Amino acid sequence: SYSNPRLTALARKITARYHWEDIILPADEREKLQETVAAIRHRNKVLDEWGIGEKLASGRGVMMLFSGPPGTGKTMAAEVVASELRLDLYKIDLSGVVSKYIGETEKNLERIFSEANNSNAILFFDEADAIFGKRSEVKDAHDRYANLEVAYLLQRMESYEGITILATNMRANLDEAFLRRFHSTVDFPFPKRAERLHIWKTLFPAKLERDESVDFNLLANRFELAGGNIRNIIVAAAYLAANNGNVVTMEHLLHGARREMQKMGRLVGELE
């Protein structure tokens, strides 16, 4: 079915550009993601034709939890799932949905789910930490209310017939009872040196001319950055090159890296 244009008022439609070869994850986490995509593909056969849905499975929806630091590929993974299944992907920034007025958050969430029910969309809830806070500590009415908001979101995710993905930076904030409700949980660790090298090589476009001075090994070694930051550096370097020689040099990349580190509030030593 077609996606719902009214959803775009509440959520941002994302054009899925990525496929399996683009995502860099530890083997086990990649496998979990692939197993879930395969399970979604065979949902009708297993639930209806084979009768699993009659007694054994609680609902038709699929809930996934993506956890890991910013820039480690959670949005990219959601795009991979969407492009593999040929479904529309809508990203909802939960920090934008959460209202300081008690009771408004549920209304906002309800509108998103009821609009999504009419479309065949994957709902990707990003910045989930905005509604978790420290779930165990209830200090005042508002904290208790935040717990209700989490409960409400989960209940709506469970009753949604489609696919929902929740992304969080801090899995440590989530208790076991919460985690058990997800069909799959995928962890996106901060990339190690070898993975960073692979990211640099994978993200650098083939059409973009680069000078022989460009040393991906050195960049992977020197900068402990996630894929999202590496992407920003390559984009910045491409713009610098467009204004200066049309070939990306090591100097362009180091300048882009310096700017990216400044943006993150990290100290930048002398980068030669």
Side-chain angles (χ1 to χ4, degrees):
S1 62
Y2 295 100
S3 68
N4 186 335
R6 282 169 63 192
L7 244 182
T8 49
L10 311 157
R12 190 161 61 89
K13 188 174 180 183
I14 291 186
T15 306
R17 300 162 297 168
Y18 298 110
H19 299 277
W20 290 119
E21 65 271 16
D22 299 309
I23 195 158
I24 291 146
L25 271 177
D28 199 43
E29 302 305 319
R30 171 185 285 265
E31 207 171 278
K32 281 197 258 179
L33 205 52
Q34 287 172 328
E35 283 166 12
T36 307
V37 168
I40 294 165
R41 278 210 177 101
H42 299 298
R43 232 176 353 172
N44 290 347
K45 184 203 301 184
V46 172
L47 293 177
D48 302 333
E49 291 173 36
W50 293 0
I52 293 286
E54 286 167 33
K55 289 180 181 163
L56 300 178
S58 51
R60 303 191 67 81
V62 174
M63 291 166 64
M64 303 168 78
L65 180 76
F66 290 174
S67 63
T72 48
K74 299 185 293 293
T75 302
M76 183 189 264
E79 289 189 38
V80 171
V81 173
S83 56
E84 284 296 311
L85 297 167
R86 295 199 172 96
L87 291 173
D88 285 325
L89 176 65
Y90 285 92
K91 185 175 182 177
I92 299 104
D93 182 345
L94 274 174
S95 57
V97 170
V98 174
S99 167
K100 44 186 181 296
Y101 303 107
I102 285 186
E104 287 297 312
T105 303
E106 280 91 335
K107 282 184 200 150
N108 291 338
L109 288 171
E110 182 52 51
R111 281 174 59 211
I112 289 164
F113 279 103
S114 52
E115 291 295 345
N117 265 336
N118 310 322
S119 66
N120 203 3
I122 298 175
L123 296 181
F124 176 59
F125 292 96
D126 198 16
E127 304 287 339
D129 307 291
I131 72 167
F132 295 137
K134 291 200 172 70
R135 291 181 66 238
S136 49
E137 292 177 32
V138 178
K139 292 202 183 80
D140 61 23
H142 210 283
D143 291 343
R144 195 172 302 113
Y145 213 82
N147 287 344
L148 290 177
E149 287 168 354
V150 172
Y152 180 82
L153 174 62
L154 279 182
Q155 175 209 320
R156 282 308 271 116
M157 284 173 77
E158 283 175 334
S159 63
Y160 182 58
E161 297 261 299
I163 300 152
T164 48
I165 302 169
L166 196 62
T168 171
N169 297 339
M170 293 174 284
R171 186 175 168 155
N173 278 5
L174 314 180
D175 56 42
E176 283 308 308
F178 181 90
L179 293 170
R180 275 200 299 273
R181 295 168 80 167
F182 288 87
H183 297 91
S184 85
T185 60
V186 183
D187 289 311
F188 293 76
F190 197 86
K192 297 186 173 70
R193 197 206 72 83
E195 287 158 349
R196 292 198 297 271
L197 177 59
H198 192 43
I199 291 169
W200 277 105
K201 288 177 174 172
T202 306
L203 288 183
F204 201 97
K207 290 181 196 163
L208 182 56
E209 203 181 330
R210 69 175 194 262
D211 184 78
E212 59 206 27
S213 65
V214 170
D215 184 348
F216 290 137
N217 264 306
L218 187 145
L219 291 163
N221 266 329
R222 187 177 285 187
F223 302 108
E224 291 187 14
L225 294 166
N229 306 115
I230 292 171
R231 182 186 57 214
N232 292 347
I233 293 168
I234 293 171
V235 171
Y239 277 111
L240 288 167
N243 190 42
N244 175 11
N246 292 324
V247 176
V248 171
T249 64
M250 193 62 172
E251 200 181 321
H252 292 145
L253 287 162
L254 289 172
H255 187 79
R258 189 184 296 121
R259 289 283 180 258
E260 189 65 15
M261 302 286 266
Q262 284 171 341
K263 229 165 44 181
M264 295 163 74
R266 275 160 64 172
L267 282 173
V268 186
E270 278 307 302
L271 300 179
E272 301 316 323

